[in-house]
Amino acid sequence: MKRIVLLGPPGAGKGTQAEGIAAKYNIPHISTGEIFRANVKEGTPLGIKAREYMESGHLVPDELVCELVEDRIQEPDCANGYLLDGFPRTVPQARFFDEFLEKMGQELDKVIDIEVDEDVLIPRMVGRRVCRQCGRPYHMITMPPKVEGVCDVCGGEVYQRSDDTLETVQNRFRVYNEQTSPLTEYYKEKGKLAPVNGDAGISEVFGAICALLGE
Ligand code: AMP
């Protein structure tokens, strides 16, 4: 049984690490960002409400997020634990989550905090591109497509997500510093915080996380 929260600034590699952790411990990977993106794409009422906040790098209001997470973690596949990626993002969300856990008689195992410096992350994020058709990720400096703007795999258009532009990225960091980084102290006080140096290769970071989580 593992109930894990993954914390870290935008672009720290939470999504990548989450995939590996979820597979290793056989628990669902719940990314609130992914859920919102899927809703935006499908044009659901939730997606319509969330879209503007996301595109400008702001947080979606707590009440929308909390309701969504509460429903999701009561699904049967979460009975043996879950990994939350991108939630909680604010102190009120963390308080809500604590109350939920108490109500359900559940305990959180660990909060993995992937630490990477903002000065490293901003250029990484602004260089990100993705294929509009197949979703393959690229990077303008470290992994550009062979032909500019064209996906190597499917020939689709390689573009920059609107939340990866410099202005939005800077805004996301501002929001992170103001609203999310206080969670580090919050979980430290509760004895749940497990910091990991995220400025290493994907497999090293993964190894460090597994060492913290145990078998
Ligand atoms: P992410 O993929 O986790 O970076 O999330 C992308 C965007 O979705 C964020 O910039 C927010 O606008 C929104 N979002 C995701 N998770 C949350 C959350 N827990 N609280 C508020 N907004 C969120």
Side-chain angles (χ1 to χ4, degrees):
M1 169 73 72
K2 291 261 185 264
R3 294 190 194 92
I4 306 161
V5 165
L6 208 51
L7 268 188
K14 292 192 295 294
T16 307
Q17 295 301 337
E19 295 286 334
I21 300 165
K24 173 166 168 138
Y25 294 100
N26 198 21
I27 48 175
H29 165 204
I30 301 171
S31 156
T32 43
E34 277 302 320
I35 297 174
F36 284 130
R37 276 190 287 280
N39 277 274
V40 168
K41 204 167 171 188
E42 283 164 28
T44 66
L46 179 66
I48 291 166
K49 284 186 206 154
R51 184 179 189 143
E52 244 177 72
Y53 298 102
M54 294 174 72
E55 289 194 339
S56 59
H58 288 99
L59 293 182
V60 175
D62 287 338
E63 57 278 13
L64 289 181
V65 186
C66 289
E67 199 181 310
L68 177 128
V69 174
E70 184 172 22
D71 289 346
R72 179 64 189 87
I73 56 186
Q74 290 185 82
E75 295 278 325
D77 65 335
C78 293
N80 290 318
Y82 44 81
L83 170 68
L84 291 172
D85 160 16
F87 179 92
R89 219 40 170 252
T90 64
V91 172
Q93 288 181 17
R95 291 214 181 96
F96 171 90
F97 183 44
D98 276 341
E99 278 165 25
F100 171 84
L101 288 167
E102 203 180 315
K103 193 170 72 188
M104 302 298 286
Q106 297 183 357
E107 176 118 20
L108 186 63
D109 286 286
K110 272 202 172 54
V111 176
I112 303 286
D113 186 21
I114 306 184
E115 299 176 325
V116 193
D117 207 74
E118 185 172 321
D119 297 339
V120 173
L121 292 175
I122 290 183
R124 253 197 227 168
M125 289 172 77
V126 174
R128 279 204 305 217
R129 300 292 182 273
V130 62
C131 174
R132 207 183 277 282
Q133 211 159 284
C134 73
R136 177 175 174 163
Y138 291 94
H139 195 279
M140 292 313 283
I141 296 157
T142 55
M143 204 181 31
K146 291 192 186 92
V147 178
E148 201 185 321
V150 182
C151 178
D152 296 348
V153 179
C154 74
E157 183 201 354
V158 174
Y159 82 115
Q160 184 179 43
R161 259 172 44 180
S162 58
D163 57 354
D164 284 339
T165 61
L166 181 61
E167 196 193 347
T168 310
V169 166
Q170 282 171 333
N171 205 20
R172 289 172 75 190
F173 275 94
R174 202 159 34 241
V175 168
Y176 174 79
N177 291 329
E178 283 169 17
Q179 301 195 57
T180 309
S181 67
L183 291 181
T184 308
E185 204 46 47
Y186 180 92
Y187 283 118
K188 199 187 219 169
E189 275 171 19
K190 290 186 178 284
K192 299 284 181 197
L193 194 75
V196 171
N197 173 17
D199 197 7
I202 291 173
S203 53
E204 278 119 304
V205 177
F206 184 61
I209 293 174
C210 294
L212 286 166
L213 292 176
E215 278 318 306

